[in-house]
Amino acid sequence: MLLIIGCANVSILLLARGTARQHELAVRAAIGASRVRILRQLLTESLALSFAGALGGVLLAYEAVALIVKWLPEYSFPHEAAIQINLPVLLFSIVLALVTGVFFGLSPALHLSRTDLAYVMQSATRRMTAALHGKQMHSALVAGQVALTLVLLTGAGGAIRGFVNLMHTKLGYDPHNTMSVGIPVHDDTYMSWQERSQFFEQIRDRIAAMPEVISAGISSNATPPNNGWNTSFEILGRPSVDQQGLRTNFVSLEYFTVLHIPLLQGRLLSHVETMRGARVAVINQTMARQYWPQGDAIGQQIRVPQLKGDPPYNPAAPDSDGWLQIVGLVADARDDGLRNPVKPAIYVPYTMRMRMFTQILVRTHVEPLAVLRRVRAVVHAVNPDQQVMGNVRSLEQWINTQPEWAQERLVAMLFGAFSILALALSVFGLYSVVSYVVAQRTNEFGIRMALGAGRQDVLQLAFRSATVSVGGGLVAGVILSLILNNVMAKWSPGASRDPLILLGVMLLLMAVASAACLVPAHRASSIDPIAALRYE
């Protein structure tokens, strides 16, 4: 779309520039220049412009690649992938730029090479009225520019609105001033579930005692907004159902305090229950609503067969795969990304099935990553051989790395950048057309003012020349935007389809179009009638 807008703009400028040179071309033809010679000269100039533009585009592309790579979703490409300018694509783009320059320079060149010598050489009548063909071509090109710009602006507005909506998604937990510190256990260390649980609890207790820390909790696999282990389960007294699943989260008591997940019914896991791997569980609202709609979930028993231990790497508490008693109900928190509905989930003591890796969620008074060095020192003090994962993130950064977040941000930025460029090109194109028409009608305006027309009348005439083009472009743009709605949905599933966005874009384009017409229209209304009558 941007390519078409750019080509239309170049065609408008070439035609306007060539029209201003009609007298020069007529003189060349009068002294013997053939039509082919004039055509070759105009095409050469067009090709030179295309080559200069292509060269500038290549230089800009090399600089822009690093920026676009930075915008890409984190896991959309392997980290070792080298994303750079591809030579065949580069050559194709250069050839495309040159071909479009020749193609869109051909029409103005053909039009201008058919110069009526007798008409043009009469300077007094040369600019009385613009050629009908030129007017129609200008109107069509401007209307096309406005239509495509409206489509891009509407797409950008929808993508940006969708991204803003995603930013304000109700999470169900508080990610601010909280970070997740990953701690992997070395092989052949802390092999029993008791040793491993005591080791992690000791680290958590020391981190929680730091003056900058408000609270610290353990989360083996429960760092939202995409967390939990997909498992099947059974409900005591009910037949097993195929595809009946939930998300199992291994946490400590402090987990809910750190993330500000409120308790709605019953109680939370106690410290004693956590340290002995008691068979108790807390469920979320979605699970209670789905399986116990009468509100009698507390006291029910469920069983998760996958909780069985897998020594030596994943030791488990005795009878961990037995029946679990539901003791509490907490509010829903995002566990399947930012866009998908919350899945049924249970929270069990992290000691029930110890893993080779766990995470300490740390809520602080200050920026959480600012105390990371001291947290590393605490872990090192507990075990000098123990290390912390290198990619420690705040929970807000966990949100920013979600695929839907990164995709929506990328689409919004790209659509925004392209639509701003399209808007700038459309403004320049419209300004050029109105300026061209004003120049063509200078003598006419002088005669009208000499016969009594006021500045307001001339101003309206100058604005009226762009009204049809802009109005037609807006209508065509609305139709295209509605047609391309489904295409936009594939690019940006969260894009907003609010009709107010379309209305706002239309008002913006009308305001910008009025501003683009204002300068040449004001110039036309301020002209001296005597100077206009003697214009060239």
Side-chain angles (χ1 to χ4, degrees):
M1 290 183 181
L2 191 62
L3 175 66
I4 295 173
I5 293 172
C7 290
N9 208 19
V10 169
S11 186
I12 289 172
L13 294 173
L14 286 175
L15 187 58
R17 181 171 177 267
T19 303
R21 298 173 59 190
Q22 278 186 335
H23 193 270
E24 172 200 339
L25 299 177
V27 171
R28 289 178 181 272
I31 61 177
S34 64
R35 184 184 178 192
V36 174
R37 176 68 180 84
I38 294 175
L39 188 63
R40 188 167 64 244
Q41 176 184 340
L42 294 174
L43 285 177
T44 301
E45 294 175 359
S46 176
L47 194 61
L49 287 173
S50 297
F51 182 79
L55 181 61
V58 169
L59 297 176
L60 182 61
Y62 273 99
E63 296 296 328
V65 165
L67 182 62
I68 294 177
V69 170
K70 184 179 179 180
W71 288 349
L72 288 175
E74 184 174 7
Y75 297 107
S76 57
F77 288 91
H79 288 291
E80 63 272 15
I83 302 176
Q84 55 191 4
I85 296 292
N86 180 266
L87 187 58
V89 175
L90 179 63
L91 293 177
F92 170 79
S93 302
I94 293 174
V95 171
L96 182 64
L98 298 178
V99 169
T100 52
V102 172
F103 180 79
F104 280 87
L106 187 62
S107 178
L110 287 172
H111 174 65
L112 295 170
S113 64
R114 293 194 299 264
T115 305
D116 186 347
L117 294 179
Y119 175 75
V120 174
M121 294 300 288
Q122 296 176 11
S123 60
T125 62
R126 187 173 71 250
R127 291 184 178 272
M128 287 292 291
T129 56
L132 179 61
H133 176 73
K135 283 184 176 180
Q136 292 175 342
M137 180 178 292
H138 281 157
S139 296
L141 291 174
V142 169
Q145 283 186 312
V146 171
L148 295 178
T149 301
L150 187 142
V151 172
L152 284 174
L153 283 171
T154 303
I160 293 171
R161 179 67 175 272
F163 181 57
V164 171
N165 291 340
L166 197 66
M167 291 175 63
H168 292 89
T169 298
K170 185 178 180 180
L171 299 174
Y173 69 98
D174 182 8
H176 303 296
N177 281 1
T178 305
M179 65 177 172
S180 174
V181 182
I183 301 177
V185 177
H186 297 297
D187 292 342
D188 301 325
T189 57
Y190 309 108
M191 302 303 293
S192 69
W193 73 271
Q194 296 97 332
E195 290 179 327
R196 196 169 294 181
S197 61
Q198 290 172 3
F199 170 65
F200 286 139
E201 181 61 26
Q202 187 178 5
I203 293 176
R204 188 211 64 79
D205 189 56
R206 291 200 180 190
I207 292 176
M210 293 172 55
E212 302 91 345
V213 174
I214 299 174
S215 57
I218 293 179
S219 153
S220 295
N221 68 333
T223 303
N226 202 331
N227 55 277
W229 177 26
N230 287 320
T231 58
S232 59
F233 73 101
E234 304 170 7
I235 300 177
L236 185 64
R238 298 186 189 180
S240 298
V241 179
D242 293 338
Q243 306 301 323
Q244 177 176 276
L246 52 74
R247 295 215 160 185
T248 302
N249 301 275
F250 301 93
V251 302
S252 68
L253 164 66
E254 298 80 10
Y255 172 85
F256 304 99
T257 303
V258 172
L259 296 184
H260 296 171
I261 299 177
L263 176 67
L264 302 180
Q265 188 178 352
R267 64 177 180 85
L268 297 176
L269 313 172
S270 70
H271 181 74
V272 174
E273 289 172 332
T274 300
M275 295 313 297
R276 64 182 175 86
R279 296 198 303 274
V280 292
V282 173
I283 64 173
N284 67 352
Q285 281 178 290
T286 296
M287 185 167 182
R289 187 165 47 245
Q290 186 170 337
Y291 295 101
W292 295 280
Q294 303 301 322
D296 56 344
I298 304 300
Q300 300 288 341
Q301 293 188 352
I302 61 175
R303 179 173 175 267
V304 181
Q306 288 93 327
L307 287 181
K308 184 178 180 180
D310 182 24
Y313 297 108
N314 296 299
D319 300 324
S320 58
D321 57 341
W323 292 101
L324 307 174
Q325 184 178 20
I326 299 174
V327 298
L329 170 64
V330 295
D332 279 341
R334 290 280 172 181
D335 59 3
D336 191 27
L338 300 173
R339 191 178 290 128
N340 299 325
V342 176
K343 289 188 173 182
I346 64 169
Y347 301 89
V348 300
Y350 75 93
T351 52
M352 288 193 68
R353 191 175 188 272
M354 300 300 302
R355 311 173 81 185
M356 296 292 293
F357 172 84
T358 196
Q359 299 170 75
I360 309 293
L361 297 180
V362 184
R363 176 173 292 277
T364 60
H365 296 284
V366 297
E367 173 64 30
L369 296 181
V371 301
L372 179 57
R373 179 177 296 181
R374 293 197 58 191
V375 170
R376 292 180 188 272
V378 168
V379 175
H380 187 73
V382 175
N383 184 345
D385 296 327
Q386 182 62 58
Q387 296 177 342
V388 172
M389 294 289 289
N391 60 338
V392 175
R393 298 171 179 167
S394 68
L395 294 199
E396 291 174 317
Q397 290 173 329
W398 278 71
I399 295 174
N400 297 345
T401 55
Q402 290 295 303
E404 57 266 46
W405 173 283
Q407 179 186 356
E408 290 288 348
R409 181 186 61 181
L410 175 64
V411 172
M413 287 182 174
L414 289 180
F415 262 92
F418 284 126
S419 61
I420 290 173
L421 287 174
L423 184 62
L425 288 175
S426 296
V427 168
F428 286 126
L430 188 59
Y431 174 83
S432 301
V433 167
V434 177
S435 296
Y436 167 75
V437 171
V438 167
Q440 290 282 3
R441 301 176 67 181
T442 300
N443 294 92
E444 175 194 343
F445 292 152
I447 293 174
R448 288 179 179 274
M449 296 179 73
L451 293 176
R455 292 184 58 181
Q456 190 70 23
D457 300 319
V458 175
L459 198 64
Q460 290 178 358
L461 285 173
F463 266 102
R464 195 179 303 162
S465 63
T467 302
V468 175
S469 301
V470 174
L474 290 175
V475 173
V478 170
I479 296 173
L480 279 175
S481 296
L482 296 176
I483 293 175
L484 295 177
N485 242 341
N486 293 333
V487 177
M488 183 61 194
K490 293 180 181 178
W491 274 83
S492 177
S496 174
R497 292 167 180 78
D498 190 345
L500 291 178
I501 294 177
L502 184 59
L503 178 61
V505 169
M506 293 177 65
L507 294 176
L508 173 64
L509 277 176
M510 286 190 287
V512 169
S514 300
C517 298
L518 184 61
V519 174
H522 181 268
R523 186 166 61 242
S525 65
S526 304
I527 195 169
D528 183 1
I530 302 301
L533 291 173
R534 291 188 297 191
Y535 183 61
E536 295 195 4

